[in-house]
Amino acid sequence: MRRRLLDYLACASLSAFLAGEPAWAQSPDAEASSYTPTVGQVGKDVVWVPTPQDLVDTMLDMAELKPGDKLVDLGAGDGRTVISAAKRGITARGIEYNPELVTLAQRAAKQEGVADRASFEQADIFESDFSEATVVTLFLLPRLNMRLRPTLLDMPPGTRVISNSFTMEDWTPDETRKVNEDCTGRCIAYKWVVPAKVAGTWNMDGKELVLAQTFQQLEGELRDGDRSMPLSDARMDGEKVAFDMNGQHYEGEVRGDEMRGTVDGKQAWRAQRVSSSG
Ligand SMILES: C[S@@+](CC[C@H](N)C(=O)[O-])C[C@H]1O[C@@H](n2cnc3c(N)ncnc32)[C@H](O)[C@@H]1O
């Protein structure tokens, strides 16, 4: 009951805030079709409310798109995020349950000249495989983000996840941006970078590096017999690991069962995985 009320309030405020928002639906080509979506119309798990274009642009800036990236928008609506990503030169795919929105988005992609890079399919995001994505965008609901969270956390390290408005609860964002400082609603984007899984014990030059991991945050110590040295400011950024120990700054990269890097940007360090935990 309480969850339904929260969903209702989230949807109602989305609809109210964005009423009158121009959509791809109003482009000349779309006008020629008989279908015009309505902001707030019912969707399978969440209503359709389009992301304002300035926030789409901000989300794509946050994604730091590079050649070869593949973006997937979960619940793609009228296709604006996918089309905007394709216009930046990458391959993008939209998964949308409503077949009429899918047709509308396909038509808009053609009209915008990016149909070769922007594709749309009618499907349920919870039944779909989007494991090829290097960037996942979302504008759903808090509880839907939480349903997707385990899948997202199992994607390859470095995958960027960008959500309009809604968080991932205790998986704190790596970056938050507002489209402008005065805005009060539906103008915030959150970004997470899927961290490599490093919890467990590693062999670092014959010593035991023991790491505990909560999403991108790390805690740990280096054990040498009955002596131990704590790590501080330890964290993951995708496959990159960084921590301070004994007054020195360690940076490195995780590749499978090995991590290697430099201490204070100079001498090399490396560690090999002995066992995993968590
Ligand atoms: C809030 S709108 C966001 C649309 C678009 N991503 C954007 O940012 O403009 C959410 C979209 O998800 C779609 N949707 C809802 N449940 C879905 C599901 N289970 N699978 C696929 N699409 C779904 C709705 O039809 C709607 O178009």
Side-chain angles (χ1 to χ4, degrees):
M1 186 63 194
R2 186 171 172 272
R3 200 184 72 185
R4 284 220 178 126
L5 179 65
L6 288 173
D7 283 359
Y8 172 78
L9 289 173
C11 294
S13 65
L14 288 182
S15 308
F17 183 76
L18 292 168
E21 166 73 11
W24 292 106
Q26 291 164 340
S27 63
D29 194 37
E31 273 170 18
S33 82
S34 56
Y35 177 66
T36 305
T38 310
V39 174
Q41 72 182 34
V42 171
K44 181 173 181 291
D45 291 300
V46 57
V47 296
W48 175 65
V49 173
T51 297
Q53 190 60 43
D54 55 356
L55 189 53
V56 170
D57 295 337
T58 298
M59 291 168 73
L60 295 178
D61 290 347
M62 290 168 84
E64 300 181 88
L65 301 176
K66 48 187 189 306
D69 267 332
K70 290 181 178 164
L71 179 143
V72 173
D73 190 32
L74 298 178
D78 64 3
R80 59 183 59 202
T81 303
V82 168
I83 290 168
S84 300
K87 283 183 169 177
R88 294 189 184 204
I90 65 154
T91 304
R93 170 183 165 215
I95 304 173
E96 168 58 50
Y97 197 77
N98 179 328
E100 291 173 303
L101 281 172
V102 172
T103 305
L104 188 71
Q106 285 166 334
R107 192 178 297 124
K110 235 188 228 169
Q111 190 194 354
E112 296 291 323
V114 292
D116 56 332
R117 290 192 301 280
S119 63
F120 297 91
E121 70 204 54
Q122 190 281 319
D124 185 332
I125 55 174
F126 294 105
E127 310 279 323
S128 300
D129 177 4
F130 51 91
S131 55
E132 85 282 8
T134 57
V135 176
V136 178
T137 51
L138 322 156
F139 181 23
L140 297 169
L141 282 174
R143 72 181 163 81
L144 302 183
N145 281 11
M146 288 306 284
R147 254 178 92 185
L148 290 164
R149 194 174 87 170
T151 307
L152 296 169
L153 279 164
D154 269 344
M155 293 184 77
T159 304
R160 287 88 83 205
V161 179
I162 323 263
S163 169
N164 172 353
S165 295
F166 301 117
T167 68
M168 298 275 178
E169 295 196 357
D170 56 340
W171 184 12
T172 54
D174 293 292
E175 188 185 351
T176 300
R177 279 196 209 174
K178 269 187 170 188
V179 284
N180 71 66
E181 276 315 306
D182 301 329
C183 68
T184 52
R186 312 312 153 204
C187 49
I188 297 182
Y190 300 99
K191 171 183 172 181
W192 299 263
V193 181
V194 174
K197 295 181 174 72
V198 295
T201 303
W202 298 71
N203 179 341
M204 192 171 173
D205 295 329
K207 297 171 190 134
E208 265 189 347
L209 178 65
V210 182
L211 298 176
Q213 181 170 16
T214 309
F215 307 107
Q216 66 275 62
Q217 312 290 345
L218 300 179
E219 287 183 7
E221 60 186 15
L222 188 68
R223 294 179 189 159
D224 185 11
D226 52 7
R227 293 185 328 152
S228 81
M229 243 177 314
L231 272 53
S232 60
D233 290 331
R235 55 178 288 117
M236 301 300 302
D237 176 9
E239 288 171 323
K240 293 192 193 118
V241 60
F243 55 88
D244 291 341
M245 185 172 63
N246 199 24
Q248 292 183 300
H249 182 64
Y250 289 70
E251 284 183 358
E253 266 194 28
V254 182
R255 292 267 178 241
D257 288 335
E258 184 174 270
M259 33 177 148
R260 56 167 75 202
T262 53
V263 187
D264 288 336
K266 294 181 211 119
Q267 76 263 33
W269 69 275
R270 70 188 265 222
Q272 263 154 342
R273 198 190 305 261
V274 177
S275 62
S276 301
S277 64

